[in-house]
Amino acid sequence: MGKRAQPLLAAALLCLAGLAVAEQEQDWRSRGSSEDKLAQVMRTLPSAAHIMNEMGQRYQNLYWAGKLGQWEFAAYQGEEIVKLVELLQISSPKRAATAQVFLDHAMGEFDAAYEKKDWDTFLHAFRSMRAQCLACHEKNDHGFIIPPEHPVSAPSVILNLPR
Ligand code: HEC
């Protein structure tokens, strides 16, 4: 590099460093008060719509895991469904009571299906769970959201189904 270029480069670097500092000053994660930080973090809590988008996928995965006789994977999907409803209870307190009804009544029948490794028992359990999904949608003014009785496919790569 020629001697004349050196001051130019130094100036450019200083300029970049200045920009980085300015950016950091605006960054609530490093500069905000604890109150501001908490308020911002609260705004990032997942909404019911976010949670339910994943719920729809796990619903499909659960159905197809059962259909393909992948019982452990089915049980795992069921556990994740429960965790999603528990998360919703925390992030959307106004839905907590209706979510509790789901937790108390939706998943009880699956254990028998996994023990017997039996599709008919599983389908019965799946239908009971679905009825609780529908009931909760109804109670939360979203009765028009109706997950299919027989999902045609499922998104998990583990199940390797055509989409
Ligand atoms: C606590 C009540 C509650 C339970 C339990 C519940 N849902 Fe939901 N669900 C909602 C609400 C509320 C919405 C609408 C979300 C919004 O826009 O605020 C929703 C929306 C959805 C959506 C649409 C998501 C989208 O944006 O495309 C799907 C799919 C869904 N639910 C599936 C299910 C399935 C499957 C179950 C059962 C395994 C279930 N839900 C259980 C309350 C519930």
Side-chain angles (χ1 to χ4, degrees):
M1 191 187 302
K3 273 204 172 140
R4 265 192 229 151
Q6 278 175 6
L8 273 180
L9 181 66
L13 284 176
L14 264 179
C15 206
L16 277 179
L19 278 178
V21 169
E23 224 167 65
Q24 225 192 1
E25 273 169 11
Q26 287 168 7
D27 189 334
W28 62 267
R29 294 169 303 175
S30 48
R31 309 295 295 186
S33 67
S34 297
E35 235 169 70
D36 285 346
K37 285 181 188 167
L38 185 60
Q40 292 282 47
V41 169
M42 302 252 297
R43 291 172 68 192
T44 67
L45 287 178
S47 66
H50 279 120
I51 292 173
M52 286 298 148
N53 199 30
E54 182 177 338
M55 186 72 104
Q57 296 188 17
R58 296 208 180 275
Y59 176 85
Q60 291 172 297
N61 292 339
L62 173 60
Y63 178 91
W64 274 94
K67 195 153 173 122
L68 296 171
Q70 296 194 23
W71 304 115
E72 273 183 65
F73 194 60
Y76 163 70
Q77 294 299 328
E79 283 163 19
E80 293 302 322
I81 284 175
V82 167
K83 283 191 207 159
L84 283 176
V85 177
E86 288 170 347
L87 174 62
L88 182 69
Q89 278 190 309
I90 297 170
S91 63
S92 301
K94 66 177 175 187
R95 323 234 195 245
T98 51
Q100 192 57 47
V101 176
F102 182 91
L103 293 172
D104 290 344
H105 300 287
M107 308 304 283
E109 289 185 36
F110 282 102
D111 283 347
Y114 300 144
E115 222 162 88
K116 288 196 245 169
K117 302 189 190 319
D118 176 54
W119 166 248
D120 287 337
T121 317
F122 176 88
L123 191 58
H124 197 272
F126 187 83
R127 286 195 174 128
S128 306
M129 180 195 73
R130 178 175 176 270
Q132 293 296 332
C133 305
L134 298 183
C136 204
H137 290 171
E138 194 66 52
K139 284 182 249 175
N140 284 282
D141 305 319
H142 283 77
F144 62 94
I145 296 181
I146 303 170
E149 227 179 316
H150 299 284
V152 291
S153 188
S156 172
V157 69
I158 303 307
L159 299 165
N160 208 19
L161 293 165
R163 298 184 68 185

